[in-house]
């Protein structure tokens, strides 16, 4: 570690005022709710937003712009929280998120709304990374599953309640309220953080160096590459000039990032993140998790509506059941990893997930709603056994001064995996449809035709086969995560003595 790494006197988890810990946990859950509700609550109001502001051809950037900003800022916020403490980073991030929400509510056209969503994302990166880091700071290893399961529950509730809340606000008030509703929640979280979060005393160096050149390089590199992945095959063909130019620029910026970070005294992405086997293995495994999560999150609602003939609300229920079993098994996973270890518990979870994902293509056609619902319930349970032990385990292998960077690297890899998965599986689904229908459109166009009653039964079968192929790809991603953990991760994580 460099000379600017702050030192902590004593065990971090024990030095937090336990009498105030409940208020801080409430603040963390509210802050996490802001990030968790964001995508689900906005998605249901898109028709009203487009009807008011126009810009249908670019509305997808309401989500892509936010995702890009969150992803590329995660490493920066992680390093800043290790240098200056979690509280100032969380306060600034929440304030930026709320400012972005207020600006979104005042947007006068689609371009302004997209720009303000990016501002929201700049704050959202601080919320996601710092909340997860503080969760590990607040609790010793034996109690960390408690707070992590609470945060998982926040995501589960947001997944179920977000679409409904967004629909109600858009239908009975105005779409601008889906952003204004963030203000009271965020204000309450900020008040609790400022009043009750008192971090342990640290000895800060006189001249703490911030690697702003590295932060800018990471931001530029991540933004260019993620834009290429998000827009490739959508806004332009994969082998077109814009796509090739973006990828070439991104690869050149990767070289810039490496050169800048090697010379930095306190790099934003330090080399030890990838040199330590445990952290590298968890980063790669959770990148694969982000990849496989795209299959159900993006393609299952289409399958439920187009193949099973379910209404949008019922299709949402089929998807949402995995958010019910995920936090349950996450909370129970401590009883497993205390016996067999973090790595083997994660191997058990991802091995089961691979089998469950592989079973999806064997569902009967057209089938019944309860069949994919059962698989999703089982999948959520398997992934709860996989993700939480890895996050708790990797956070326990580093001290306070490295925990923010480590947590941010894990979340960054998971977010990047989701972006890659959306592009990869979108290409897979469209390729299968083209083969089955003789090149007759992509997944979006054929599902719209099917719902409008203008497509034949062969289209419904083609969609089923396309989604089956995506699920097989997700099963391959789960198998990849299994192999990575088995070969790269140590059987016993080198957990630090908290004393």
């Amino acid at each position: 570690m460099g000379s600017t790494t702050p030192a902590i006197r004593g065990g971090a988890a024990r030095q937090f005022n336990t009498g105030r810990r409940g208020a801080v946990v409430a603040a963390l859950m509210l802050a996490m709710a802001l990030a968790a509700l964001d995508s689900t609550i906005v998605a249901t109001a898109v028709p009203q937003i487009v009807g008011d502001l126009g810009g249908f051809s670019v509305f997808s950037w309401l989500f892509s712009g936010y995702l890009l900003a969150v992803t590329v800022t995660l490493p920066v916020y992680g390093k800043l929280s290790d240098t200056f403490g979690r509280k100032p980073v969380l306060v600034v991030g929440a304030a930026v998120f709320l400012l972005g929400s207020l600006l979104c509510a005042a947007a006068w056209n689609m371009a302004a709304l997209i720009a303000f969503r990016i501002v929201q994302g700049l704050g959202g990166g601080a919320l996601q990374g710092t909340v997860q880091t503080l969760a590990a700071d607040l609790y010793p290893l034996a109690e960390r599953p408690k707070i992590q399961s609470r945060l998982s529950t926040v995501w589960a509730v947001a997944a179920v309640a977000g679409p409904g809340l967004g629909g109600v606000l858009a239908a009975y008030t105005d779409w601008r309220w889906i952003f204004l509703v963030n203000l009271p929640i965020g204000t309450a979280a900020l008040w609790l953080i400022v009043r009750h979060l008192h971090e342990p005393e640290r000895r800060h160096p006189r001249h703490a160096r911030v690697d702003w050149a590295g932060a800018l390089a990471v931001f530029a590199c991540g933004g260019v590459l993620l834009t290429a992945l998000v827009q490739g095959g959508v806004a332009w063909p994969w082998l077109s000039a814009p796509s090739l130019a973006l990828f070439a620029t991104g690869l050149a910026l990767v070289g810039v990032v490496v050169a800048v970070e090697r010379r930095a005294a306190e790099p934003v992405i330090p080399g030890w993140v990838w040199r330590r086997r445990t952290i590298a293995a968890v980063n790669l495994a959770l990148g694969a998790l982000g990849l496989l999560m795209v299959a159900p999150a993006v393609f299952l609602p289409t399958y439920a509506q187009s193949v099973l003939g379910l209404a949008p609300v019922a299709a949402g229920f089929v998807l949402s059941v995995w958010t019910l079993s995920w936090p349950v098994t996450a909370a129970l996973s401590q009883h497993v990893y205390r016996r067999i270890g973090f790595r083997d518990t994660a191997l058990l979870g991802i091995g089961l997930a691979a089998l469950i994902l592989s079973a999806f293509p064997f569902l009967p056609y057209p089938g019944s709603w309860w069949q994919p619902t059962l698989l999703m319930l089982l999948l959520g349970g398997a992934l709860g056994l996989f993700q939480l032990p890895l996050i708790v385990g990797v956070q326990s292998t580093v001290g306070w001064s490295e925990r923010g960077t480590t947590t941010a690297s894990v979340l960054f890899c998971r977010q990047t995996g989701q972006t890659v998965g959306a592009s990869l599986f979108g290409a897979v689904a469209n390729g299968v449809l083209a083969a089955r229908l003789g090149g007759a459109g992509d997944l979006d166009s054929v599902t719209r035709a099917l719902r409008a009653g203008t497509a034949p039964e062969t289209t419904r079968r083609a969609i089923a086969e396309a989604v089956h192929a995506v699920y097989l790809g997700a099963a391959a991603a789960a198998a990849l995560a299994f192999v990575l953990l088995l070969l790269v991760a140590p059987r016993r994580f080198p957990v630090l003595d908290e004393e």
Side-chain angles (χ1 to χ4, degrees), residues 381-476:
L383 294 179
L385 280 177
F386 171 68
Q387 178 178 261
L388 187 136
L390 291 182
I391 292 178
V392 171
V394 77
Q395 287 179 329
S396 303
T397 66
V398 294
W400 186 96
S401 60
E402 296 177 339
R403 190 172 291 145
T405 299
T406 299
T407 303
S409 72
V410 168
L411 297 178
F412 175 81
C413 289
R414 189 181 66 185
Q415 292 279 94
T416 302
Q418 288 180 288
T419 305
V420 173
S423 299
L424 176 62
F425 291 147
V428 168
N430 292 334
V432 172
L433 284 175
R436 297 293 182 272
L437 302 177
D442 58 15
L443 185 62
D444 289 337
S445 62
V446 297
T447 51
R448 284 196 297 270
L450 190 60
R451 291 168 195 166
T454 60
E457 176 65 15
T458 54
T459 302
R460 189 187 302 272
R461 288 187 176 273
I463 292 174
E465 292 183 24
V467 177
H468 289 168
V470 167
Y471 266 78
L472 285 177

Side-chain angles (χ1 to χ4, degrees), residues 230-247:
V230 168
Q231 294 298 100
V234 179
W236 47 70
W238 284 108
L239 297 180
S240 65
S243 184
L244 295 176
L246 281 173
F247 278 114

Side-chain angles (χ1 to χ4, degrees), residues 300-324:
L300 185 60
T302 296
Y303 179 88
Q305 293 180 66
S306 301
V307 178
L308 302 182
L310 300 179
V313 173
F317 171 78
V318 172
L319 173 63
S320 66
V321 293
W322 75 335
T323 65
L324 304 178

Side-chain angles (χ1 to χ4, degrees), residues 132 135 141-153 282 286 289 326-338 341-343 345-346 349-350 380-396 410 414 493:
Q132 291 282 3
L141 175 58
E143 299 179 43
R144 272 174 206 153
K146 182 190 302 183
I147 180 62
Q148 289 289 353
S149 64
R150 289 179 183 176
L151 295 177
S152 297
T153 301
V282 173
L286 288 188
L289 171 65
W326 191 317
V328 173
T329 54
L332 296 175
S333 66
Q334 59 179 310
H335 302 294
V336 182
Y337 67 64
R338 285 174 180 168
F342 294 114
R343 189 199 72 164
T345 303
I350 200 64
L383 294 179
L385 280 177
F386 171 68
Q387 178 178 261
L388 187 136
L390 291 182
I391 292 178
V392 171
V394 77
Q395 287 179 329
S396 303
V410 168
R414 189 181 66 185
F493 282 19

